Amino acid sequence: MAQKKNVTFSDIAEYTHFSKTTISRYFNNPDSLTLENQAIISDALVKLNYKENKVARILANGKTEFIGIIVPSLYFHFFSEILNQILSTYETFGYKFLVFVGNEKKEIEKQYIQELLAYKIEGLIVLSHTIPSKSLAALSIPIVSIEREDEYICSVNTDNYAGGVQAAELLAEHDCEILLHINSPTAKNIPAYGRIQGFLDVCKKRRLKHQIIYRDLKANYEAIQAQLNEIIDELERDYMGQKKGVFISNDTHANIFLNLIFRRHGGLPSDYLLVGFDNSPISREAIIPISTVGQQIDKIAYEAVGLLVEQMNERKKRNPVPLTEPIHKIIPPILMQRDTTEG
């Protein structure tokens, strides 16, 4: 039995009575055709059981349907979860992804970006902080950032300030005698700085006793564990017997903190209340479910890909209209109250 041959542009042209040039324009620049002619060709593809040759199309028009992603690491649960959500948008938008993990090394990330450009990516999503947005904007491809400095590029971020307010108010409502926020040193132009500012504003407005504890908490479990152990030593020395409300900048660190407390006390003592940030899966899976300021990670991922696709589609039009200013979308957080404050 002879193998059925692939349907070609010539076959489609013969079926529709259009030229091969018109068929090619349908695939490479559909906006150049009328909606009626687009519909005729689309119907023909179905009836002819046309199977697109992706490689041939890429060679013909240079459009790969690939989006690049740069993440700083996969150690933090937020990054792994948002990557999972971004990849799941294929069913909606039809774009594939090339992912590089930069490990916060600027020169390596520059190399990764050049590699992605060589693969003719149509757009880029960046979660890493190492390369300034001004440098990224000069790449001349659509770019969307998530939770990083974004002055010159489009972005989708959580309302981090509102999240800091939510965490501080929750701990204050539980009559904590001292409110503490543990975070890495954070520049004010990074969206996550809003967590610090929101926490501070609530404490100052309500005249609550508080302390910000800064540590350079890198993506290394042993180092983080040692630093958090030191912080717990300080808390138990300086605030012995006082009800301590601890707000930690992400769920990964909050879970390590909780585990260290368990090892010391065999449980979470009544003088500790704990709030994380992200609502990544680890907050629900912890030995005691952790109260957290929930980033709507699925929505952030969807909005980021959607915003990027809008820009990429605009570039494919006959007369594209470039953005005059970056678009910045803000997603509200949702406070998740669980056993580390409600137990």
Side-chain angles (χ1 to χ4, degrees), residues 166 218 316:
Q166 290 175 346
K218 297 294 186 181
K316 296 173 185 176

Side-chain angles (χ1 to χ4, degrees), residues 105-148:
K105 296 179 181 178
K106 184 175 182 178
E107 293 307 315
I108 289 178
E109 290 187 3
K110 285 182 177 179
Q111 293 177 23
Y112 288 161
I113 288 174
Q114 292 306 312
E115 184 82 3
L116 288 167
L117 293 174
Y119 275 100
K120 302 295 183 183
I121 58 170
E122 296 187 42
L124 180 65
I125 295 175
V126 183
L127 291 92
S128 173
H129 296 272
T130 62
I131 301 174
S133 66
K134 189 171 185 179
S135 298
L136 292 171
L139 295 175
S140 299
I141 60 171
I143 296 175
V144 173
S145 71
I146 298 174
E147 295 295 329
R148 53 147 291 151

Side-chain angles (χ1 to χ4, degrees), residues 25-304:
R25 284 167 55 202
Y26 172 83
F27 286 98
N28 299 324
N29 187 16
D31 286 339
S32 66
L33 303 179
T34 65
L35 292 177
E36 179 183 3
N37 286 349
Q38 289 182 45
I40 291 171
I41 297 172
S42 177
D43 182 62
L45 298 182
V46 174
K47 291 179 178 176
L48 292 171
N49 194 27
Y50 173 74
K51 305 296 183 184
E52 183 177 11
N53 185 329
K54 291 283 187 180
V55 174
R57 182 172 178 182
I58 291 169
L59 292 173
N61 65 14
K63 302 300 182 184
T64 61
E65 298 179 355
F66 278 122
I67 291 171
I69 303 176
I70 301 289
V71 294
S73 79
L74 292 177
Y75 175 78
F76 293 103
H77 292 81
F78 169 76
F79 292 130
S80 57
E81 180 60 17
I82 201 161
L83 180 58
N84 178 52
Q85 293 294 334
I86 289 172
L87 298 181
S88 72
T89 64
Y90 172 78
E91 295 180 5
T92 301
F93 297 106
Y95 279 86
K96 285 79 68 180
F97 301 93
L98 297 173
V99 182
F100 283 90
V101 180
N103 292 314
E104 301 181 0
K105 296 179 181 178
K106 184 175 182 178
E107 293 307 315
I108 289 178
E109 290 187 3
K110 285 182 177 179
Q111 293 177 23
Y112 288 161
I113 288 174
Q114 292 306 312
E115 184 82 3
L116 288 167
L117 293 174
Y119 275 100
K120 302 295 183 183
I121 58 170
E122 296 187 42
L124 180 65
I125 295 175
V126 183
L127 291 92
S128 173
H129 296 272
T130 62
I131 301 174
S133 66
K134 189 171 185 179
S135 298
L136 292 171
L139 295 175
S140 299
I141 60 171
I143 296 175
V144 173
S145 71
I146 298 174
E147 295 295 329
R148 53 147 291 151
E149 180 268 317
D150 58 5
E151 182 177 357
Y152 296 95
I153 55 179
C154 294
S155 65
V156 179
N157 301 313
T158 293
D159 187 340
N160 286 272
Y161 181 87
V165 167
Q166 290 175 346
E169 288 184 340
L170 175 63
L171 295 172
E173 288 166 5
H174 284 75
D175 300 320
C176 292
E177 297 170 83
I178 173 71
L179 270 63
L180 305 124
H181 179 44
I182 301 171
N183 208 325
S184 297
T186 306
K188 291 186 178 181
N189 65 346
I190 302 298
Y193 182 80
R195 305 173 195 182
I196 300 170
Q197 193 62 59
F199 176 87
L200 281 173
D201 285 353
V202 170
C203 292
K204 291 176 180 177
K205 182 179 179 180
R206 299 180 118 183
R207 298 181 179 179
L208 302 170
K209 186 178 178 181
H210 65 279
Q211 181 183 353
I212 304 289
I213 301 174
Y214 289 116
R215 293 288 193 281
D216 190 11
L217 300 170
K218 297 294 186 181
N220 177 289
Y221 174 75
E222 289 74 18
I224 293 168
Q225 184 182 43
Q227 289 176 314
L228 291 178
N229 254 325
E230 289 178 3
I231 290 172
I232 295 171
D233 288 339
E234 294 170 12
L235 298 185
E236 301 202 340
R237 180 191 67 223
D238 298 339
Y239 305 113
M240 182 183 298
Q242 296 183 50
K243 192 173 183 180
K244 297 172 280 293
V246 183
F247 169 38
I248 300 184
S249 59
N250 62 73
D251 291 336
T252 301
H253 291 160
N255 182 57
I256 296 172
F257 184 94
L258 179 62
N259 288 338
L260 293 173
I261 291 290
F262 252 76
R263 292 173 193 172
R264 290 185 182 222
H265 300 286
L268 182 64
S270 59
D271 61 338
Y272 276 100
L273 275 71
L274 177 62
V275 178
F277 200 104
D278 291 338
N279 194 33
S280 56
I282 193 63
S283 65
R284 302 184 296 277
E285 298 164 0
I287 190 168
I288 295 178
I290 300 170
S291 293
T292 185
V293 177
Q295 301 198 72
Q296 298 188 65
I297 297 175
D298 56 344
K299 188 170 184 179
I300 293 170
Y302 184 89
E303 291 291 339

